[in-house]
């Protein structure tokens, strides 16, 4: 359902009665306030929120009414860790040899729409193939395809044999020795060049893999894979271009090097110890916990044939640990942003992370803030999105019932609005 064209047509006709969208919301969670407000009308006109009023305003001629009186209206959601151009399956390892750029690009279009319809209007894409998240971002921004706003890292940066070395597991006859352009660094010089290449590629942010990871075809899922000097060189170069840096890190030593090296977010953080927590609090480093990915790999690993023999033991070990780490980090006061690593788990299931966060001890309202106003501020987008207030963009999501009582309603989004377009209506 795309009403953007119609709204634009009405605007061009110069009519005094331009159609607004009136959302009658039984409850509004605005992304910043401590409490929800009941029985509100939120008015969106020409893509912006122009009024928030108590009660249900009567529509003027031509206005569209969204009846969410049985539900809750929230700001469009943020997922700070996705991979929009892929989705893991039993065939992923062999697909790597078979897929071309166009396959990956088309998959990205499908997954982007699925993500938007699940209520996620902004995502950070932390690593793709063929830099496909960048043209996808551009196509969404220009209105060619529906999808969330993408803050794109492009190709992740790793070291040789490291978690994001794209040639892991290849037979030696392929003679693969990728360098900074393909996201593989082995020195401070390489680190600088890799960041500058991402600037040239059109990336918005930088992703490094500071330790081993679960799904790479490699034995170790948590060892440090970059020196602190290399990480620091990435971070210092990134600053020259206005990039923030996200570090994939499971093991404690790699987490510490990344935090001391100056990264902005730690992704997964699985084997975070007390010293990691202390350092992150001192430095103000954010934690993007991706409990969904841990749960998903653990579940798949119950099938002895799902993963390759190198991957399965890592999945069994990392899975349950992330939930425990989340609880520990939250209680200790580490700053947490909502992120799922979707693309490991299925696109469109992103909101399941809310339940895992609440199960991990975070109150529902805080989990919602970690997916709205907090990431908007982190990404310097809080002048436009991340909360429901007059003047912000009309990027809005509706769920049935009350997420403060049952957080799983976040998994059943019934209303999505972005770009002055209603993509899903109750
Ligand atoms: Zn990831």
């Amino acid at each position: 359902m795309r009403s953007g064209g119609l709204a634009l047509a009405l605007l061009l006709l110069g009519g005094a009665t331009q159609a607004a969208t009136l959302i009658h919301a039984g409850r509004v969670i605005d992304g910043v306030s401590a409490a929800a407000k009941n029985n509100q009308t939120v008015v969106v006109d020409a893509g912006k929120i122009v009024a928030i009023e108590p009660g249900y305003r009567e529509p003027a001629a031509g206005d569209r009414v969204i009846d969410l009186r049985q539900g809750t209206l929230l700001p469009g959601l943020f997922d700070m860790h996705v991979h929009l151009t892929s989705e893991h399956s039993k065939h992923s390892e062999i697909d790597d040899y078979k897929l071309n750029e166009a396959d990956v690009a088309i998959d990205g279009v499908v997954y982007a729409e699925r993500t938007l319809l699940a209520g996620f209007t902004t995502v950070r894409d932390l690593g793709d193939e063929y830099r496909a998240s960048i043209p996808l971002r551009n196509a969404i921004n220009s209105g060619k395809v529906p999808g969330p706003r993408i803050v794109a890292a492009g190709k992740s940066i790793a070291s040789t044999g490291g978690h994001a070395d794209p040639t892991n597991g290849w037979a030696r006859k392929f003679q693969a020795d990728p360098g900074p352009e393909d996201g593989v660094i082995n020195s401070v010089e390489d680190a600088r060049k890799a960041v500058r290449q991402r600037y040239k590629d059109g990336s918005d942010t930088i992703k490094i893999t500071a330790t081993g990871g679960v799904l790479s075809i490699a034995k170790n899922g948590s060892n440090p894979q970059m020196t602190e000097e290399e990480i620091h060189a990435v971070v210092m170069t990134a600053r020259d271009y206005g990039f923030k840096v996200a570090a994939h890190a499971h093991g404690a030593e790699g987490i510490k090097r990344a935090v001391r090296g100056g990264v902005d977010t730690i992704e997964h953080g699985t084997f975070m110890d007390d010293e990691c927590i202390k350092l992150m609090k001192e430095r103000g480093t954010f934690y993007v916990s991706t409990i969904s990915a841990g749960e998903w790999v653990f579940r798949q690993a119950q099938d002895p044939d799902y993963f390759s023999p190198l991957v399965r033991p890592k999945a069994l070990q990392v899975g349950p640990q992330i939930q425990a780490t989340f609880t520990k980090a939250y209680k200790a006061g580490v700053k947490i942003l909502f992120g799922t690593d979707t693309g490991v788990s299925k696109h469109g299931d992103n909101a399941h992370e809310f339940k895992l966060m609440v199960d991990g001890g975070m109150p529902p309202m805080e989990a919602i803030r970690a997916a709205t106003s907090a990431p908007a501020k982190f990404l310097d987008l809080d002048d436009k999105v991340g909360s429901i207030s007059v003047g912000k963009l009309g990027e809005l999501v509706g769920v049935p019932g009350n997420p403060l009582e049952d957080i799983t309603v976040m998994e059943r989004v019934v209303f999505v609005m972005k770009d002055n377009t209603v993509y899903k209506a109750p």
Side-chain angles (χ1 to χ4, degrees):
M1 247 170 293
R2 307 199 57 171
S3 60
L6 179 64
L8 184 67
L10 289 171
L11 204 71
L12 293 174
L13 288 170
T17 52
Q18 184 198 324
T21 302
L22 275 52
I23 303 139
H24 290 168
R27 196 171 297 98
V28 170
I29 292 176
D30 67 11
V32 284
S33 305
K37 286 197 185 79
N38 292 332
N39 306 331
Q40 304 278 307
T41 300
V42 174
V43 184
V44 177
D45 201 345
K48 281 194 173 176
I49 299 170
V50 296
I52 304 166
E53 303 169 355
Y56 298 131
R57 187 207 278 191
E58 285 294 319
D63 285 350
R64 176 176 191 175
V65 175
I66 302 291
D67 181 2
L68 196 66
R69 287 175 296 177
Q70 303 305 315
T72 303
L73 187 71
L74 303 115
L77 304 170
F78 288 61
D79 189 332
M80 293 293 278
H81 190 142
V82 301
H83 303 277
L84 277 182
T85 57
S86 63
E87 186 171 275
H88 201 275
S89 78
K90 218 169 173 171
H91 316 291
S92 288
E93 199 178 330
I94 190 71
D95 281 351
D96 201 35
Y97 297 92
K98 288 158 65 181
L99 298 182
N100 291 306
E101 285 98 325
D103 298 301
V104 172
I106 290 170
D107 283 352
V109 170
V110 173
Y111 298 143
E113 181 168 19
R114 225 170 264 176
T115 303
L116 177 65
L117 295 179
F120 290 81
T121 52
T122 304
V123 298
R124 213 172 39 148
D125 190 293
L126 291 186
D128 61 12
E129 267 192 286
Y130 305 113
R131 301 150 171 84
S133 62
I134 294 165
L136 179 61
R137 172 199 68 198
N138 297 345
I140 291 166
N141 287 348
S142 62
K144 287 177 188 161
V145 296
R149 175 185 299 97
I150 300 175
V151 176
K155 173 69 187 71
S156 304
I157 301 171
S159 57
T160 291
H163 183 52
D165 180 335
T167 61
N168 281 334
W170 289 17
R172 287 174 63 82
K173 63 188 168 195
F174 294 117
Q175 297 278 333
D177 185 20
E181 186 176 347
D182 297 309
V184 177
I185 64 164
N186 286 286
S187 68
V188 163
E189 295 306 310
D190 282 358
R192 294 192 187 112
K193 187 169 183 189
V195 172
R196 289 170 181 150
Q197 179 66 46
R198 300 235 135 31
Y199 173 68
K200 188 175 172 182
D201 292 343
S203 297
D204 304 301
T205 191
I206 297 294
K207 160 79 176 300
I208 63 169
T209 56
T211 74
V214 174
L215 294 178
S216 43
I217 310 305
K219 197 169 95 182
N220 201 314
S222 58
N223 67 319
Q225 297 189 333
M226 283 186 188
T227 66
E228 196 172 317
E229 289 70 30
E230 287 163 346
I231 295 169
H232 188 64
V234 165
V235 170
M236 293 310 288
T237 312
R239 296 286 180 259
D240 288 344
Y241 298 91
F243 293 141
K244 287 194 164 81
V245 179
H248 156 109
H250 289 292
E253 173 60 22
I255 294 171
K256 283 170 213 171
R257 290 187 197 176
V259 174
R260 285 194 300 256
V263 306
D264 300 283
T265 61
I266 293 291
E267 311 295 313
H268 322 301
T270 310
F271 301 106
M272 189 183 287
D273 62 14
D274 291 341
E275 196 188 340
C276 292
I277 287 176
K278 185 166 170 280
L279 269 174
M280 287 175 75
K281 288 182 68 180
E282 278 169 19
R283 301 282 188 123
T285 316
F286 285 84
Y287 178 36
V288 179
S289 43
T290 72
I291 316 168
S292 299
E295 188 196 48
W296 190 90
V297 297
F298 183 74
R299 199 173 344 114
Q300 304 314 317
Q302 304 310 305
D303 170 358
D305 298 323
Y306 189 92
F307 292 121
S308 75
L310 273 177
V311 171
R312 186 167 179 245
K314 298 188 287 181
L316 287 169
Q317 196 195 9
V318 163
Q321 185 59 43
I322 295 189
Q323 178 98 46
T325 300
F326 172 86
T327 300
K328 187 173 161 182
Y330 171 67
K331 283 191 180 144
V334 176
K335 296 190 288 184
I336 290 172
L337 298 173
F338 181 105
T340 59
D341 208 1
T342 295
V344 173
S345 52
K346 297 231 171 301
H347 293 284
D349 290 349
N350 313 58
H352 178 57
E353 185 82 12
F354 284 109
K355 180 185 186 309
L356 299 174
M357 292 166 92
V358 170
D359 286 350
M362 185 182 261
M365 193 61 114
E366 246 181 281
I368 289 167
R369 275 202 291 266
T372 54
S373 56
K377 187 159 190 284
F378 177 85
L379 295 170
D380 298 317
L381 292 170
D382 54 331
D383 57 331
K384 291 200 277 287
V385 286
S387 64
I388 299 179
S389 56
V390 171
K392 296 270 168 85
L393 296 180
E395 292 194 8
L396 300 164
V397 166
V399 297
N402 183 356
L404 303 179
E405 285 167 5
D406 173 11
I407 195 67
T408 66
V409 299
M410 299 299 288
E411 297 169 37
R412 299 193 295 277
V413 164
V414 293
F415 168 65
V416 178
M417 187 173 197
K418 178 179 175 271
D419 312 316
N420 203 29
T421 301
V422 174
Y423 289 98
K424 199 183 217 182

